[in-house]
Amino acid sequence: MRTLVIVAHPNLETSVINKQWTEELLKYPDKYTVHELHKVYPDGNIDIEKEQKLVESHGNLVFQFPVHWFNCPSLLKKWLDDVLSYGWAYGSAGDKLKDRKVALGVSAGIKKENYSKQGRYRYTLEQMLVSFETTFQYCEANYRSLFAVYGQEDKAGENVPGSESEQTDNELINSAQNYLRFIDNM
């Protein structure tokens, strides 16, 4: 079965990393379904039944997003709150994510060394995003970790939305290819 990649970037057109990753994914429609939440739900009104059926019709599930305030964009949080409902994703009859492989693909506008015990933010990116792992474990999914690309922020507050990275074209292409390998090896 194909992998469903739920892309939650509020401004994908001006993105660097997420745009490159999405373009690379779209080259392989037989392997990946790219589902852009902001394109499908610009008003934020999520069709829960449609989303649940979409998840059910795929194998693995990947959530791709830029890190916003050390979390995900608000539309993805709303998607999680609405779609992962009692009786569908969890609860006595909620088994639709059970044993399904789930992972994250994230771009962080902050340097990797700042995401460490000794760094500016004192926690790793994995620690900051542990709520995703916990959510998927609660739903009995098979959480497979995250793939991350870090940015070039020099001072707090200097990260400009949409400019997740200042990487060269070769680095961007390599990150996209590594991202697809990560998904394929979930």
Side-chain angles (χ1 to χ4, degrees):
M1 291 184 85
R2 289 188 325 212
T3 296
L4 175 60
V5 181
I6 296 176
V7 178
H9 194 297
N11 199 1
L12 191 60
E13 304 78 38
T14 62
S15 168
V16 177
I17 296 293
N18 282 273
K19 183 179 179 182
Q20 181 73 38
W21 289 355
T22 301
E23 289 172 356
E24 193 68 22
L25 288 164
L26 289 169
K27 293 178 183 177
Y28 305 96
D30 55 318
K31 293 173 68 173
Y32 316 109
T33 298
V34 176
H35 184 54
E36 295 178 44
L37 289 183
H38 288 84
K39 185 184 282 185
V40 177
Y41 301 112
D43 60 1
N45 294 319
I46 296 171
D47 184 334
I48 297 167
E49 188 176 326
K50 176 183 171 185
E51 294 299 303
Q52 290 174 340
K53 286 180 181 177
L54 184 63
V55 170
E56 290 173 25
S57 69
H58 287 80
N60 300 338
L61 182 59
V62 176
F63 294 91
Q64 176 187 317
F65 59 91
V67 175
H68 280 201
W69 288 111
F70 311 101
N71 206 315
C72 66
S74 60
L75 186 57
L76 178 54
K77 176 63 170 107
K78 181 173 178 15
W79 188 97
L80 294 166
D81 290 344
D82 292 353
V83 176
L84 302 185
S85 60
Y86 178 83
W88 185 81
Y90 68 97
S92 60
D95 63 355
K96 300 304 185 215
L97 294 183
K98 186 176 175 113
D99 299 324
R100 186 182 305 271
K101 292 179 182 176
V102 180
L104 306 179
V106 300
S107 60
I110 297 170
K111 293 177 183 178
K112 185 173 184 173
E113 58 266 21
N114 288 331
Y115 284 111
S116 69
K117 186 175 182 179
Q118 298 76 27
R120 178 181 294 139
Y121 303 109
R122 299 186 350 209
Y123 298 95
T124 66
L125 189 56
E126 290 83 356
Q127 289 172 312
M128 289 191 178
L129 298 177
V130 74
S131 62
F132 290 92
E133 179 178 0
T134 306
T135 296
F136 298 124
Q137 287 177 348
Y138 187 78
C139 296
E140 298 184 54
N142 183 355
Y143 181 71
R144 308 298 289 182
S145 191
L146 62 89
F147 179 87
V149 169
Y150 296 86
Q152 304 296 320
E153 179 188 56
D154 289 320
K155 295 179 186 171
E158 285 190 1
N159 184 29
V160 178
S163 61
E164 300 100 330
S165 175
E166 295 174 7
Q167 297 181 342
T168 66
D169 287 344
N170 284 340
E171 289 172 325
L172 286 171
I173 291 167
N174 285 340
S175 79
Q177 292 170 346
N178 289 335
Y179 177 51
L180 269 58
R181 273 193 289 281
F182 168 80
I183 293 172
D184 291 344
N185 291 314
M186 288 176 46

